[in-house]
Amino acid sequence: MGLDYKTVYLLLGSNLGERKELIEEAISKIESRIGSIVSKSALYETAAWGNEDQPPFLNVAIGVETNKTADLVLDLALEIEQELGRIRLVKWGARLIDIDVILYGQEIINDGERLQVPHPRMQDRRFVLEPLAEIAGEVEHPVFKQRISILLSLLKDNLTVYKIL
């Protein structure tokens, strides 16, 4: 018997190359390998976070219905990043594509550095919460027991994030 379906929320980002096209190609690969896209935010342009001396990012949040385990979702996301040219050289550095697992249903997963769900810093980052609140504002954060929209309203991060599409 297979796993029950869960909604996994992913955040995609790109600040090198043809950003919009890379994100669209990643979404297509996600849909063919991970599961059905059930929600998708607008594109947001965001200033770089962490390492600010780099071009701005395009970000989008998507909700995916999947029967795959969280570990397999992560493996497939990393495989898609690699296929699209992602090379990990510098933490928080510029990248062609980034796919982060933000939420996996209401599960709390912590197997060290490899996979932490909910994403351990999502509640501190406007570039995550703005697009996520658009598609999952009523979803409750499994650790903080607050809706995503509430976490966004309480956010102190003043990073520039604006909707472009």
Side-chain angles (χ1 to χ4, degrees):
M1 183 171 184
L3 289 170
D4 291 333
Y5 278 81
K6 296 201 184 288
T7 301
V8 59
Y9 290 98
L10 305 174
L11 185 78
L12 287 73
S14 174
N15 73 337
L16 294 176
E18 297 295 326
R19 301 176 305 167
K20 185 172 185 252
E21 289 78 8
L22 285 162
I23 287 172
E24 288 171 354
E25 190 172 348
I27 290 171
S28 176
K29 289 177 182 289
I30 288 165
E31 186 151 43
S32 69
R33 297 183 201 170
I34 296 175
S36 299
I37 308 295
V38 295
S39 55
K40 178 181 164 192
S41 75
L43 277 174
Y44 288 78
E45 185 157 273
T46 66
W49 190 97
N51 178 1
E52 298 167 12
D53 188 25
Q54 58 183 308
F57 280 82
L58 283 185
N59 290 108
V60 64
I62 59 174
V64 183
E65 277 301 306
T66 188
N67 64 351
K68 295 181 174 36
T69 65
D71 277 329
L72 183 53
V73 169
L74 177 62
D75 289 343
L76 292 168
L78 293 172
E79 181 180 285
I80 292 166
E81 285 181 353
Q82 190 173 16
E83 286 175 17
L84 294 178
R86 170 83 188 258
I87 299 170
R88 294 174 185 269
L89 297 174
V90 177
K91 186 172 185 172
W92 298 324
R95 63 207 77 156
L96 288 167
I97 192 71
D98 186 37
I99 305 169
D100 286 331
V101 179
I102 304 300
L103 295 168
Y104 181 81
Q106 284 294 300
E107 290 195 26
I108 299 170
I109 303 166
N110 186 353
D111 65 5
E113 285 299 310
R114 185 175 191 301
L115 180 61
Q116 293 179 288
V117 177
H119 191 286
R121 293 170 299 281
M122 67 176 278
Q123 70 279 355
D124 301 322
R125 297 177 173 177
R126 184 168 303 279
F127 73 89
V128 175
L129 291 179
E130 286 276 350
L132 187 60
E134 181 184 327
I135 63 170
E138 297 306 307
V139 171
E140 187 176 90
H141 189 289
V143 173
F144 299 119
K145 304 299 184 193
Q146 292 280 341
R147 292 188 321 264
I148 300 304
S149 59
I150 299 297
L151 291 175
L152 177 60
S153 73
L154 298 172
L155 188 64
K156 305 243 186 291
D157 178 12
N158 60 3
L159 185 76
T160 303
V161 174
Y162 64 92
K163 190 185 292 191
I164 60 170
L165 287 175

